[in-house]
Amino acid sequence: MDLILCHTTVDFDALGAAVGLTRLKPGAKAVLTGGTHPAVRDFLALHRDEYALIERRSVQLAQINSVIIVDTQKRDRLGKAGEWLDLPQLNAIEIYDHHPVPQTDIPATYTQIEPVGATTTLIVEQLQQSQIQLTTAEATVMALAIHVDTGSLTFDQTTPRDGAALTWLMEQGANLRQIAQYVDPGLSPQLEKLFRQSLDLLQGQTHLGYTISWVFLNTPGHVPGLSSLASRLLEVTESDALLLGAEYQRKSKGETLQPADLPVARFQVEGYSPFPVGGLTVEGSDQHYNRQNSKIQPPSKKNLETQTQTNFQPYNLQPSPDTNLQPSTDTNLPNSNAKGEQPWPKGHATETTSTKLTIIGRTRIEGTDLNQLLQPLGGGGHSQAAAVTLRDCDAQTILEQLVNQLKDQIPQPLTARDLMSSPVRTIRPNTKIKEAQRILLRYGHSGLSVVDQIDQLVGIISRRDLDLALHHGFGHAPVKGYMTKDIKTITPETSMADIQSLMVTYDIGRLPVLEDGQLMGIVTRTDVLRQLFQEELNVKQLKVDGSNLKPANLKPANIKPLLASSLWELLTIAAEKAQERGWHLYVVGGAVRDLLLADGNKPLLLNDIDLVVDGFHRSADAIAGVTLAKELRKIYRKVRLEVHGSFQTAALLWHNDPKFGSLCVDIATARTEFYPYPAANPQVEASSIRQDLYRRDFTINAMAARLTKVNPQAQLPLLDFFGGMLDLRSQKIRVLHANSFIEDPTRIYRAVRFAVRLGFEIEPQTREYIHYAIQSGVYERTKAENTKVPALQTRLKAELNYMLQAPYWQPALQLLSSLGALRCLHPTLTLDKPLWWRVRLVGRWLQRFDPKQTLRHWQMRLEVLIADLAPDERVKVAKNLQLPVDSVERLQKLEGWQGDFLESLPTCQLNSQIVHMLREYKLPTLVLIGVYSPRAIRRKIWQYLTTWRNVKAPLDGNDLRKLGYKPGAHYREILDALLEATLDRVIQDQADAKAFLAIHYPPLEKE
């Protein structure tokens, strides 16, 4: 066992470096030697399960082979784990650090100590050189480490290498929202003083589970950096959104003009005004606030006869029956005479006082938009951070109104019902530890709920609990002795914010969801993290081939023009029927991928759509998908319905339909699957949409868009738990889990097909999984041990069908060969140069001799591949793939035919002899023999197919009758003789033919 040791009171840099090393050294585990920084503690309360961390007490000293130490060079900083450095069996001790320590008391066999801003930078550079792809969680913790240790690249020890490392981590998908939650940039002394003052003046309110805070400050003058103050207040007060208003007075001297040059405007306002301030104007703008319709409007003759300075305060508002805003002239202004004239001469300098208000907003609430909030006042920014500056207005009233408008933006928060996995896998208290671990392995869970005989929840046991029990040799013991009995539970309506709070407060990774005492589902750390990462993705705009790629592409208004109207109507009706029964309906897989990649200017041709019903939150059963399909069958009478009970799926099939064309809509109940042995058909069980997506092949195909309970003006809710959007952006084919190709080798062929079709790349880790699955010999062992291996038989043939009939079959076949994947057909099959030439040659022959594709071209290409094997292996492979009888027969007889052709065809001196021999064979047989024959033989077959088989005699049966030949069996003999003479160029026209007949077949009897 290789261990990575962090120093005591671990900080983010040590944690980030340790996590990175677990990827550089597969199988290594990181150990927190004692204590954590408070921020790290809170971070790990949510993210612990994402990393290869183990408890110090779980380490078995006899199994330690090497030790790697990060972010320290002192033994005493390792706590009790420092004693492990003296173990006699250690073969290596490595140190990675960025602190300039003169010497170390650790007997290291290798050190990398370099003056960079963070130790994590050293590890990131190695990851980048090794082309290792990170998960979002891994990239996030390493980026966070560099941010914290370099002060977000502002500390003196920061180097360009730190910036480059951070850039790469962002490209790997580091979650900026999570980083911002834990990074502390620091404040200037002036801002620190205002910060303390703000904490005293801060006001707050909880709305829909979110904390909204606001504060108003009077400052002596302009204060730079207020945005940092707002960000700090947001973090320290744990607010979800915050508005900070800061106002100060400014004095200015200017030249006052006479009334003839500059009249003063005054307004009468009708109706309610959210801003009870006369004549509010926006600094640096010609816009004025209309109180009636609450919109910023440009000045016009209707509401402002003469434009005045941007800063003014109107006086003596008078009612006006005509308009909301009426200009007027008032002689009762300060310092004016009865005629409205100012007593000072033109050009007299005066000192005026004005106020300047800056409002800065910060929000972490998904669905709110501060830019939209402040834009009407002339401000702007981003959805999560924006600001506006105003002059001479009622500051506190404006701030109050903005708070109310911000609250109106907040959408209904996610609840446990939206996050939970359901149904819950449960066990009894007397279940043995070993059996519980087997269940975890089968279903990929991190914990199990324990229920009694009446299905009441009595405890939870985690993978960590099971590991410790097995470590101490208690695999035979019941789980009731190790399960957690003091359980924190939630209801389906518990908000996500409360769920996060519970997980962090009590450091628990799963919360059972109870409704009326019944276990409805469970929310795990992973569920929360996936939602957090999902929110991060939802605000990103991705680019693929110059087109926008973002969830906004899933707005109904965007999807509807892409699809045929009949298909959109079908999806709408299906969603309505599902919603009536309390189910959710999702479109999943390739259809979601293609919608995200779609060019809005081109219609999208979808011939195969997968729908999944996830109804277990509300009284659905395993046949929910079939039930929905039958409901749609009542509406669409002409559709063919196929039900596959063992897989809990149904298919609606249209063929050459006037509305739908050829369309297949598969409807399934959300399910999980388990492969009893490699390449078998999976065993399926009812499950949740999350587990249904996890069973899929690649991240880009493991996304779902919900069709039910959707706002027509908003995007379809997108579920992307595995980084599918990120891989679409980077054009990568990434498998979901390491054993995917061992369980189902057809996924290798699907990976190749998608990579070539989409122009994507199979990412390096996925390539390694493919190579391992092929080189392990597991497929050969499986075929030897099992008579039925569908993934290497019928399902493999289906993938070959898709690939070899596609326009891109040539690059796909080459990529298959480079991966060694042709070994799935036979261990000795490789695409060498002669075979590659033959496969391309058969394509040219088929294009020439079967342009209308009456033959199965993909099958002929496959036969050419199989024919390259030893004669006694060809039939085995063909039968294993369940090829048609005629195909098996061709491959079986190919060797004999090749011998006959080599022996007989060279002896044929006349064209007629060649035709007589070859016309006994069908086109597929001649093509297969041709590509596997020497050039001389192949040339004669080519001539036969191009020329000789099309030659006809100058005379036919009707001509013979006219010449006086009595109809009968001898017609065939005469016509064959005429054809042979024509082929051998003895005769060339009818005159030659008649002369030929007169000599060889004189008419004996006239009609």
Side-chain angles (χ1 to χ4, degrees):
M1 177 187 295
D2 299 327
L3 294 183
I4 303 164
L5 303 184
C6 303
H7 55 70
T8 55
T9 314
V10 63
D11 57 18
F12 277 113
D13 192 27
L15 178 63
V19 169
L21 281 167
T22 62
R23 294 301 311 277
L24 284 170
K25 301 178 181 294
K29 303 293 183 182
V31 180
L32 308 184
T33 57
T36 58
H37 188 279
V40 176
R41 177 198 62 209
D42 294 343
F43 179 86
L44 287 178
L46 276 177
H47 299 75
R48 181 185 299 272
D49 292 341
E50 302 297 314
Y51 312 120
L53 303 177
I54 60 172
E55 301 287 340
R56 189 183 66 196
R57 58 179 178 170
S58 298
V59 175
Q60 194 165 346
L61 300 185
Q63 295 182 356
I64 302 177
N65 297 321
S66 65
V67 171
I68 303 101
I69 301 165
V70 294
D71 206 35
T72 185
Q73 302 169 50
K74 293 293 185 181
R75 178 190 292 256
D76 58 4
R77 292 214 62 199
L78 300 177
K80 292 184 178 180
E83 300 171 1
W84 300 350
L85 301 177
D86 300 323
L87 293 173
Q89 76 270 18
L90 292 183
N91 53 43
I93 299 177
E94 300 178 13
I95 297 177
Y96 297 86
D97 193 19
H98 72 124
H99 299 104
V101 178
Q103 67 182 104
T104 175
D105 57 357
I106 297 175
T109 58
Y110 172 83
T111 62
Q112 184 179 1
I113 304 169
E114 298 184 38
V116 292
T119 302
T120 302
T121 296
L122 304 177
I123 309 304
V124 170
E125 289 174 342
Q126 293 190 36
L127 289 167
Q128 191 172 5
Q129 292 170 4
S130 302
Q131 296 185 339
I132 294 176
Q133 300 295 311
L134 305 179
T135 66
T136 298
E138 291 165 346
T140 299
V141 72
M142 283 186 265
L144 185 57
I146 297 175
H147 267 288
V148 171
D149 249 38
T150 65
S152 294
L153 307 181
T154 62
F155 293 167
D156 291 341
Q157 71 268 23
T158 305
T159 69
R161 294 169 63 183
D162 301 299
L166 200 53
T167 298
W168 185 76
L169 291 171
M170 291 177 66
E171 293 172 350
Q172 292 290 303
N175 188 318
L176 300 182
R177 182 173 300 179
Q178 290 290 298
I179 293 171
Q181 184 175 351
Y182 295 96
V183 169
D184 183 3
L187 297 176
S188 67
Q190 184 183 23
L191 290 175
E192 283 286 359
K193 182 177 180 181
L194 286 176
F195 172 69
R196 292 189 293 272
Q197 181 182 349
S198 299
L199 291 178
D200 294 334
L201 299 175
L202 191 73
Q203 301 180 66
Q205 189 178 51
T206 300
H207 181 70
L208 295 178
Y210 296 104
T211 300
I212 313 299
S213 300
W214 63 96
V215 63
F216 177 74
L217 301 173
N218 277 304
T219 61
H222 172 69
V223 179
L226 285 175
S227 59
S228 298
L229 175 61
S231 299
R232 171 66 70 87
L233 285 170
L234 185 73
E235 295 172 6
V236 171
T237 61
E238 298 184 354
S239 301
D240 297 296
L242 178 136
L243 292 176
L244 181 150
E247 185 181 53
Y248 69 94
Q249 290 188 344
R250 51 184 293 176
K251 296 181 179 180
S252 61
K253 292 183 179 181
E255 192 175 74
T256 304
L257 303 180
Q258 291 184 2
D261 301 314
L262 183 61
V264 179
R266 302 177 305 282
F267 304 99
Q268 167 62 35
V269 182
E270 295 180 357
Y272 168 74
S273 168
F275 299 110
V277 185
L280 173 64
T281 60
V282 182
E283 182 183 15
S285 170
D286 291 335
Q287 296 176 321
H288 297 259
Y289 193 84
N290 183 314
R291 306 172 186 231
Q292 172 113 353
N293 56 26
S294 298
K295 292 182 179 178
I296 297 290
Q297 294 184 340
S300 66
K301 291 184 178 180
K302 182 176 181 180
N303 58 20
L304 181 59
E305 181 176 314
T306 307
Q307 184 177 345
T308 183
Q309 291 177 320
T310 56
N311 298 320
F312 63 88
Q313 182 70 31
Y315 296 85
N316 298 342
L317 303 181
Q318 299 296 327
S320 172
D322 299 325
T323 60
N324 294 332
L325 301 175
Q326 284 290 335
S328 63
T329 304
D330 191 349
T331 60
N332 295 321
L333 293 175
N335 301 323
S336 64
N337 57 27
K339 295 182 180 180
E341 297 175 349
Q342 295 171 342
W344 52 80
K346 181 176 181 179
H348 179 75
T350 62
E351 185 175 78
T352 60
T353 301
S354 63
T355 59
K356 186 174 182 180
L357 170 67
T358 298
I359 297 177
I360 299 173
R362 294 289 185 269
T363 180
R364 295 187 285 214
I365 305 173
E366 182 68 23
T368 56
D369 190 337
L370 294 176
N371 181 55
Q372 184 181 22
L373 179 70
L374 299 180
Q375 209 169 40
L377 298 179
H382 303 286
S383 60
Q384 295 177 305
V388 64
T389 299
L390 304 170
R391 289 187 178 183
D392 299 328
C393 58
D394 189 335
Q396 297 210 33
T397 304
I398 290 178
L399 189 61
E400 180 182 346
Q401 294 297 326
L402 287 174
V403 169
N404 290 331
Q405 292 176 28
L406 177 60
K407 289 192 294 184
D408 292 340
Q409 285 188 346
I410 299 175
Q412 290 293 325
L414 288 172
T415 63
R417 190 183 298 279
D418 301 308
L419 297 171
M420 69 184 184
S421 298
S422 176
V424 182
R425 193 74 52 190
T426 60
I427 56 176
R428 300 296 186 194
N430 291 323
T431 302
K432 299 293 188 291
I433 293 290
K434 281 187 177 180
E435 175 63 15
Q437 188 194 43
R438 187 192 67 80
I439 294 172
L440 282 184
L441 176 64
R442 171 166 181 165
Y443 297 103
H445 294 340
S446 60
L448 292 169
S449 298
V450 185
V451 297
D452 60 18
Q453 297 301 318
I454 58 174
D455 291 334
Q456 295 292 304
L457 183 68
V458 295
I460 285 182
I461 189 161
S462 68
R463 181 188 296 142
R464 218 183 318 174
D465 299 330
L466 294 174
D467 288 344
L468 285 173
L470 290 169
H471 172 72
H472 293 296
F474 290 102
H476 62 283
V479 297
K480 63 183 179 183
Y482 290 85
M483 68 185 185
T484 300
K485 299 177 182 178
D486 182 17
I487 311 167
K488 303 296 180 183
T489 63
I490 55 178
T491 70
E493 307 310 321
T494 303
S495 70
M496 181 171 166
D498 290 339
I499 292 171
Q500 284 183 264
S501 178
L502 284 170
M503 287 183 171
V504 171
T505 301
Y506 297 101
D507 190 17
I508 48 180
R510 54 198 58 79
L511 289 169
V513 183
L514 301 183
E515 187 173 40
D516 298 329
Q518 295 297 310
L519 183 61
M520 299 294 295
I522 193 162
V523 176
T524 67
R525 280 195 190 101
T526 302
D527 295 324
V528 174
L529 289 174
R530 283 171 176 167
Q531 184 59 42
L532 292 174
F533 293 142
Q534 183 67 42
E535 292 172 358
E536 175 73 10
L537 286 178
N538 283 348
V539 300
K540 288 184 177 180
Q541 178 168 312
L542 313 180
K543 293 278 188 178
V544 173
D545 295 335
S547 60
N548 289 336
L549 172 62
K550 52 185 177 179
N553 287 4
L554 295 181
K555 288 184 178 179
N558 294 339
I559 296 175
K560 191 173 180 179
L562 295 176
L563 304 179
S565 58
S566 55
L567 180 54
W568 178 254
E569 180 185 35
L570 169 65
L571 295 176
T572 302
I573 292 174
E576 291 173 352
K577 293 296 181 182
Q579 193 164 317
E580 288 173 2
R581 292 176 173 264
W583 302 336
H584 275 318
L585 182 66
Y586 299 86
V587 57
V588 301
V592 178
R593 177 198 68 228
D594 292 343
L595 284 169
L596 287 168
L597 292 173
D599 183 348
N601 299 321
K602 298 178 182 178
L604 182 63
L605 300 177
L606 292 179
N607 299 321
D608 192 349
I609 296 179
D610 291 334
L611 301 178
V612 171
V613 180
D614 183 18
F616 289 93
H617 302 167
R618 292 190 185 177
S619 67
D621 52 33
I623 60 170
V626 176
T627 302
L628 179 59
K630 290 180 177 179
E631 285 293 314
L632 294 173
R633 175 69 175 78
K634 295 176 183 178
I635 300 172
Y636 298 94
R637 296 287 185 178
K638 295 182 180 180
V639 70
R640 187 169 92 250
L641 174 63
E642 293 183 357
V643 177
H644 308 285
S646 59
F647 291 97
Q648 304 166 16
T649 64
L652 297 173
L653 303 168
W654 286 268
H655 182 65
N656 293 330
D657 185 84
K659 290 177 62 178
F660 294 101
S662 295
L663 174 66
C664 174
V665 178
D666 281 304
I667 307 178
T669 307
R671 61 200 193 276
T672 187
E673 61 187 25
F674 178 77
Y675 289 82
Y677 56 88
N681 276 334
Q683 298 174 359
V684 299
E685 299 177 10
S687 185
S688 67
I689 184 63
R690 287 173 174 78
Q691 291 165 308
D692 189 280
L693 293 175
Y694 183 69
R695 70 181 182 82
R696 298 179 182 272
D697 48 12
F698 308 109
T699 58
I700 62 172
N701 295 332
M703 294 181 285
R706 199 179 76 217
L707 298 175
T708 46
K709 293 188 176 180
V710 173
N711 181 350
Q713 305 304 319
Q715 68 182 33
L716 302 183
L718 178 67
L719 302 184
D720 177 18
F721 303 130
F722 312 106
M725 285 285 289
L726 290 174
D727 286 332
L728 281 179
R729 175 180 64 179
S730 56
Q731 300 183 345
K732 302 288 187 185
I733 304 295
R734 186 188 309 277
V735 76
L736 263 66
H737 55 89
N739 292 323
S740 183
F741 300 118
I742 290 177
E743 293 177 342
D744 187 355
T746 63
R747 288 174 176 164
I748 300 175
Y749 285 66
R750 288 170 61 81
V752 168
R753 182 155 58 88
F754 288 127
V756 177
R757 174 189 155 195
L758 299 173
F760 284 16
E761 177 189 1
I762 301 176
E763 61 92 23
Q765 184 68 69
T766 299
R767 277 180 172 266
E768 288 185 18
Y769 292 149
I770 291 174
H771 288 308
Y772 176 78
I774 293 171
Q775 295 170 4
S776 68
V778 65
Y779 303 145
E780 290 79 10
R781 293 196 301 272
T782 300
K783 284 191 284 189
E785 297 169 0
N786 301 275
T787 57
K788 187 176 181 181
V789 191
L792 293 170
Q793 296 169 333
T794 54
R795 289 182 10 231
L796 181 57
K797 182 181 75 172
E799 283 301 321
L800 287 164
N801 182 355
Y802 288 133
M803 184 180 297
L804 293 177
Q805 71 177 346
Y808 49 79
W809 70 268
Q810 291 194 31
L813 194 57
Q814 287 182 304
L815 181 54
L816 270 182
S817 175
S818 69
L819 293 170
L822 291 178
R823 290 177 57 183
C824 294
L825 292 172
H826 192 275
T828 65
L829 185 59
T830 58
L831 191 67
D832 55 19
K833 287 185 178 180
L835 179 56
W836 177 232
W837 178 82
R838 290 190 181 102
V839 175
R840 287 178 292 158
L841 178 63
V842 77
R844 293 195 294 271
W845 280 47
L846 291 171
Q847 187 177 6
R848 173 67 183 271
F849 303 127
D850 186 36
K852 296 183 179 180
Q853 298 197 8
T854 58
L855 303 176
R856 296 175 178 174
H857 289 196
W858 73 269
Q859 186 175 297
M860 290 301 303
R861 295 186 181 104
L862 180 57
E863 288 182 29
V864 173
L865 291 172
I866 297 173
D868 194 63
L869 300 172
D872 56 342
E873 297 295 320
R874 298 168 182 168
V875 175
K876 293 179 183 178
V877 174
K879 288 184 176 179
N880 183 65
L881 292 174
Q882 300 182 19
L883 294 183
V885 175
D886 63 325
S887 180
V888 176
E889 183 181 5
R890 276 193 294 274
L891 290 166
Q892 186 176 19
K893 295 181 178 181
L894 176 61
E895 185 182 20
W897 287 332
Q898 286 177 293
D900 292 342
F901 276 49
L902 284 172
E903 180 180 352
S904 302
L905 210 53
T907 65
C908 297
Q909 301 300 317
L910 300 174
N911 295 343
S912 60
Q913 293 173 326
I914 297 174
V915 172
H916 181 74
M917 177 181 176
L918 297 186
R919 67 185 177 187
E920 301 299 324
Y921 299 90
K922 295 180 179 179
L923 177 60
T925 302
L926 290 174
V927 170
L928 187 60
I929 295 173
V931 298
Y932 271 97
S933 296
R935 183 175 183 180
I937 302 297
R938 184 169 62 252
R939 186 171 184 178
K940 289 185 177 182
I941 297 174
W942 179 270
Q943 287 180 303
Y944 166 73
L945 292 174
T946 55
T947 304
W948 297 334
R949 70 169 178 168
N950 300 317
V951 172
K952 294 182 179 180
L955 301 176
D956 58 18
N958 291 327
D959 296 323
L960 293 181
R961 286 189 61 183
K962 292 176 182 178
L963 292 173
Y965 290 89
K966 186 178 180 179
H970 61 290
Y971 264 37
R972 171 52 52 199
E973 179 184 352
I974 296 172
L975 293 173
D976 284 346
L978 286 169
L979 178 60
E980 290 177 2
T982 305
L983 287 166
D984 297 335
R985 305 186 68 81
V986 174
I987 60 176
Q988 298 186 19
D989 54 26
Q990 288 190 349
D992 292 341
K994 291 175 182 179
F996 178 84
L997 290 177
I999 297 172
H1000 297 284
Y1001 297 94
L1004 302 177
E1005 186 177 347
K1006 300 282 187 177
E1007 277 196 78

